[in-house]
């Protein structure tokens, strides 16, 4: 989580909150995600993580049944009933662990001495903004949706050295890739009580080049950690399951809908020893 550009996440949340205050009934989305690499040079990599999203009130696209403020006329107002067809604007931030491995008893380089446990991990993260279109079926019990978005996608490979003597750990990037991406999502909201259950899938595409650590290739060769770097896949398929709520005029929750994704990219390739972060420990590592 510490590898995410916190400023971008905060700007997204603040801007959506401001927009939501202008329009009643914003949507709040909390979800679990599972990104899957597509067109990967090795085997598909599957991750697990979570996301949070905020979307504006519904903008009616379906005719005169709603007034100019995009909600039922006051004498008919029902916050959990959606227009037959509407659009919401907003965004989401998400993060997922794409696997980790560790090596025990790795020798530390001078001036340090002793051994350490070394953890390697990959992190996928997104920040996006977009427009989500909803249809209302069966008296707003079902809300199928489709979304288009653009934003930032990131994929970092990280290393943490934890000395066995208990001194401070050292964290560093092996590679860091951030870049613009575009994509779309589709799914279905199912009303259960005062909220909606959300099941959807998202496809994200980015042409920004970069590498990440192939954890399946990690091995110890003598006193050196050896690992291959492979190209970041252009496409990711992201499965999502979540809970969505509407916030009505009185600040009370009621059902609503959401799911989405996006992203960031740089490139790192190195051989020798890597070390930075909280401590100052180093090990021999070979990346190729």
């Amino acid at each position: 989580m510490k590898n995410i550009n916190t400023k971008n996440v905060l700007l997204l949340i603040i801007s959506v909150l401001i927009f939501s205050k202008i329009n009643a009934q914003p949507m709040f989305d909390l979800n679990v995600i599972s990104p899957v690499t597509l067109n990967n040079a090795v085997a598909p990599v599957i991750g697990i993580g979570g996301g949070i999203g905020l979307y504006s009130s519904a903008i009616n696209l379906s005719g005169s049944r709603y007034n100019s403020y995009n909600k039922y006329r006051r004498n008919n107002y029902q916050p959990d009933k959606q227009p037959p067809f509407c659009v919401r604007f907003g965004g989401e931030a998400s993060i997922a662990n794409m696997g980790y491995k560790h090596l025990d008893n790795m020798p530390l380089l001078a001036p340090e001495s002793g051994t350490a446990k070394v953890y390697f991990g990959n992190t996928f993260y997104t920040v996006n903004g977009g427009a989500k279109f909803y249809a209302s079926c069966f008296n707003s019990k079902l809300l199928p949706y489709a979304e288009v978005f653009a934003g930032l996608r990131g994929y970092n490979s990280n290393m943490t050295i934890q000395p066995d003597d208990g001194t401070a750990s050292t964290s560093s990037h092996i590679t860091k890739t951030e870049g613009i991406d575009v994509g779309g999502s589709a799914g279905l909201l199912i009303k259960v009580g005062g909220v909606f259950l959300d099941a959807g899938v998202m496809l994200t595409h980015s042409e920004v080049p970069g590498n990440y650590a192939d954890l399946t290739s990690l091995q110890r060769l003598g006193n050196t950690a050896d690992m291959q770097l492979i190209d970041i896949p252009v496409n990711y398929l992201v499965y999502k399951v979540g809970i969505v709520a509407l916030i009505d005029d009185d600040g009370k929750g009621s059902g609503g809908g959401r799911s989405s994704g996006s992203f960031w990219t740089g490139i790192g390739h190195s051989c020798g020893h890597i070390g930075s972060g909280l401590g100052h420990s180093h090990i021999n590592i070979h990346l190729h």
Side-chain angles (χ1 to χ4, degrees):
M1 183 71 80
K2 61 189 175 186
N3 297 314
I4 291 186
N5 188 324
T6 307
K7 180 178 72 173
N8 287 341
V9 176
L10 290 176
L11 285 174
L12 168 70
I13 294 173
I14 291 171
S15 62
V16 175
L17 281 174
I18 292 173
F19 188 76
S20 297
K21 289 300 182 182
I22 297 174
N23 297 277
Q25 288 186 280
M27 271 188 174
F28 173 79
D29 176 24
L30 190 63
N31 54 62
V32 174
I33 67 171
S34 180
V36 179
T37 62
L38 300 178
N39 57 278
N40 198 341
V42 190
V45 178
I46 301 174
I48 186 71
I52 185 171
L54 291 168
Y55 283 76
S56 72
S57 65
I59 298 175
N60 176 45
L61 301 175
S62 52
S64 59
R65 185 181 175 190
Y66 297 81
N67 64 17
S68 61
Y69 297 100
N70 299 310
K71 56 187 178 183
Y72 287 106
R73 298 182 186 279
R74 181 58 57 182
N75 60 355
N76 252 344
Y77 183 57
Q78 295 175 278
D80 61 344
K81 296 298 187 295
Q82 301 299 294
F85 184 54
C86 66
V87 61
R88 294 176 182 269
F89 296 95
E92 180 182 284
S94 61
I95 183 171
N97 181 342
M98 301 298 288
Y100 71 93
K101 292 184 74 172
H102 72 273
L103 296 175
D104 294 322
N105 302 314
M106 289 295 297
L108 295 172
L109 298 180
E112 300 295 301
S113 61
T115 59
K117 179 175 286 188
V118 185
Y119 299 89
F120 300 88
N122 290 325
T123 304
F124 171 97
Y125 50 95
T126 71
V127 177
N128 70 276
K132 185 171 285 190
F133 298 87
Y134 296 88
S136 178
C137 305
F138 303 105
N139 200 27
S140 295
K141 297 292 191 300
L142 298 178
L143 300 178
Y145 65 83
E147 180 182 25
V148 291
F149 61 81
L152 299 172
R153 181 175 80 189
Y155 203 114
N156 291 347
S157 295
N158 311 297
M159 179 178 71
T160 299
I161 302 172
Q162 179 59 67
D164 292 329
D165 64 6
T167 55
S169 63
T170 300
S171 298
S172 60
H173 291 303
I174 297 174
T175 68
K176 182 177 181 180
T177 300
E178 299 179 338
I180 295 173
D181 87 331
V182 296
S185 69
L188 179 66
L189 301 179
I190 304 171
K191 189 175 182 184
V192 178
V195 299
F196 283 88
L197 299 182
D198 180 12
V201 63
M202 175 184 75
L203 178 66
T204 159
H205 174 86
S206 177
E207 295 287 349
V208 178
N211 293 339
Y212 74 99
D214 175 19
L215 298 181
T216 63
S217 71
L218 176 64
Q219 59 181 328
R220 178 172 175 170
L221 299 177
N223 292 331
T224 300
D226 183 270
M227 189 162 42
Q228 293 182 350
L229 296 179
I230 58 179
D231 292 339
I232 294 284
V234 172
N235 298 310
Y236 280 87
L237 193 65
V238 182
Y239 297 97
K240 314 185 99 177
V241 177
I243 296 177
V244 178
L246 277 178
I247 302 173
D248 65 23
D249 281 347
D250 299 320
K252 300 176 182 177
S254 61
R258 131 100 295 236
S259 242
S260 152
S262 267
F263 325 169
W264 324 344
T265 300
I267 176 171
H269 185 293
S270 55
C271 297
H273 51 81
I274 296 177
S276 64
L278 302 176
H280 51 275
S281 300
H282 302 260
I283 65 164
N284 275 322
I285 180 170
H286 179 231
L287 306 173
H288 54 93

